[in-house]
Amino acid sequence: MDHAADAHRTDLMTITRFVLNEQSKYPESRGDFTILLSHIVLGCKFVCTAVNKAGLAKLLGLAGETNVQGEDQKKLDVLSNEVFIKALVSSGRTCILVSEEDEEATFVEPSKRGKYCVVFDPLDGSSNIDCGVSIGTIFGIYMMKDVHEPTLDDVLQPGKNMLAAGYCMYGSSCTLVLSTGKGVNGFTLDPSLGEFILTHPDIKIPNKGKIYSVNEGNAKNWDGPTSKYVESCKFPKDGSSPKSLRYIGSMVADVHRTLLYGGIFLYPADKKSPNGKLRVLYEVFPMSFLMEQAGGQAFTGKERALDLVPTKIHERAPIFLGSYDDVEEIKRLYAAEEKN
């Protein structure tokens, strides 16, 4: 890659231009979706700036409240949540918002209502803020099927009905990964322009990876198939090299690495969390959507993750996602367990 030449490139594919190009393929589209995405992008830029300044702006430390998951809320969580709620409502294109930070869904007032439902985790991995580990925002978008008074059923849909999903990672650089159902593209924020530039076009996850990512501290509570799988990663029976363990503990960062390098990310159910730990609507679904769009798989231990039908907005589920062959292996172990 010729960085010197790249520095002087004038033909930059910004995220705005990219989304407008996509829109032009649908002559009937009115640009509502494009407007909604541009508001999400603005929210991500704002949070990126806030995260970078957090230590300086005294935004660290606890805000003194706990959120619906019983986690201590950081000031940055509170700020990020407000930023996204305001950005999404003011777009005039949303009707229901579900945030990890709010116990109840937000129903947008009729005068500002649109046809999209957005589910999001405004700042995932926020317990890592204090030590400078990558954190991120995760989002998914559904569309109302027809014009009616919005109800929770409009968001309690299986992940396969999602229109688009993505995440923005605030790390050594600010990276936004997006899928609108036609592959996955990655954009990096150029701070000098204040624009997201297409840097990872058409991301495809390798069919098999050399990395597994799991919190091994929970190993004593795992079920049979998970234990067997992790054992086979460390002590392969077929004479192949063992997989490397990489676990950051920030879902956005772990999934981002899995997407680019291949391998598998798992957060299984265990004795302590029989339903798993990650939330279905705004963690499991968006990441599973992206994985499938990139040619990988996502599985809950029982079924394809995107087929799951949630009954509560903060429902949790186990998740195994990543390279196609690696997830196939865990599916085989669960099928064998079922047989027995």
Side-chain angles (χ1 to χ4, degrees):
M1 193 174 174
D2 184 352
H3 289 289
D6 263 6
H8 297 289
R9 276 181 53 209
T10 49
D11 181 32
L12 296 172
M13 177 60 84
T14 65
I15 195 164
T16 314
R17 187 175 147 198
F18 180 86
V19 172
L20 285 169
N21 283 358
E22 286 299 302
Q23 185 192 316
S24 65
K25 295 173 189 169
Y26 302 92
E28 73 287 353
S29 89
R30 301 212 324 268
D32 285 345
F33 186 65
T34 307
I35 290 168
L36 172 60
L37 275 176
S38 73
H39 279 74
I40 291 175
V41 166
L42 180 65
C44 291
K45 287 179 187 171
F46 189 103
V47 173
C48 177
T49 307
V51 166
N52 288 339
K53 283 200 246 168
L56 300 169
K58 293 258 185 297
L59 284 165
L60 296 184
L62 304 179
E65 300 165 25
T66 51
N67 69 3
V68 295
Q69 315 299 341
E71 300 163 338
D72 286 331
Q73 251 182 332
K74 301 264 170 164
K75 288 180 183 171
L76 266 177
D77 293 18
V78 182
L79 180 77
S80 311
N81 192 41
E82 282 174 13
V83 165
F84 278 103
I85 296 273
K86 286 180 177 146
L88 292 165
V89 171
S90 68
S91 73
R93 302 300 184 276
T94 58
C95 54
I96 308 176
L97 310 176
V98 172
S99 164
E100 193 249 5
E101 297 292 339
D102 295 328
E103 194 153 357
E104 304 292 335
T106 300
F107 289 87
V108 180
E109 58 182 273
S111 63
K112 294 186 175 155
R113 211 173 266 173
K115 60 183 175 186
Y116 297 105
C117 309
V118 184
V119 294
F120 61 99
D121 185 342
L123 206 59
D124 184 73
S126 52
S127 61
N128 288 313
I129 294 168
D130 294 11
C131 59
V133 167
S134 296
I135 50 184
T137 299
I138 311 173
F139 62 90
I141 303 171
Y142 289 106
M143 189 163 77
M144 297 237 311
K145 292 191 176 64
D146 46 48
V147 181
H148 61 267
E149 194 60 29
T151 68
L152 275 186
D153 289 340
D154 293 309
V155 284
L156 294 173
Q157 299 188 52
K160 62 184 175 194
N161 294 356
M162 266 184 183
L163 205 62
Y167 59 81
C168 186
M169 185 173 74
Y170 316 111
S172 53
S173 59
C174 180
T175 311
L176 196 146
V177 174
L178 174 70
S179 174
T180 55
K182 291 181 188 58
V184 181
N185 291 280
F187 303 82
T188 304
L189 184 63
D190 180 336
S192 60
L193 295 172
E195 284 280 9
F196 279 100
I197 309 296
L198 180 64
T199 47
H200 297 73
D202 198 20
I203 298 171
K204 290 278 177 249
I205 186 170
N207 267 339
K208 200 169 173 56
K210 298 190 173 94
I211 297 172
Y212 73 105
S213 186
V214 64
N215 182 352
E216 289 222 38
N218 293 331
K220 78 178 176 88
N221 295 318
W222 286 345
D223 63 13
T226 300
S227 301
K228 280 186 191 139
Y229 180 76
V230 172
E231 188 69 10
S232 75
C233 290
K234 297 195 272 198
F235 305 99
K237 301 263 196 309
D238 59 3
S240 60
S241 298
K243 286 188 184 332
S244 292
L245 168 67
R246 296 282 182 275
Y247 186 71
I248 298 163
S250 177
M251 190 192 191
V252 174
D254 279 314
V255 170
H256 187 64
R257 183 202 54 246
T258 305
L259 198 58
L260 296 183
Y261 299 168
I264 187 166
F265 168 83
L266 37 154
Y267 209 118
D270 58 30
K271 294 191 189 88
K272 222 170 43 185
S273 316
N275 298 321
K277 186 98 183 288
L278 298 175
R279 273 70 60 143
V280 174
L281 275 180
Y282 40 80
E283 290 174 330
V284 170
F285 279 170
M287 295 310 202
S288 301
F289 187 92
L290 290 166
M291 275 301 164
E292 286 199 5
Q293 285 294 322
Q297 289 196 80
F299 177 64
T300 66
K302 291 191 175 76
E303 61 187 324
R304 172 191 175 209
L306 293 180
D307 287 342
L308 195 66
V309 183
T311 54
K312 300 195 293 289
I313 59 172
H314 296 298
E315 193 169 311
R316 300 170 190 257
I319 186 68
F320 305 85
L321 52 78
S323 295
Y324 195 92
D325 294 351
D326 293 328
V327 178
E328 203 56 36
E329 178 67 26
I330 199 111
K331 281 164 80 172
R332 213 170 50 240
L333 289 165
Y334 271 100
E337 168 105 337
E338 190 109 320
K339 240 191 199 144
N340 296 337

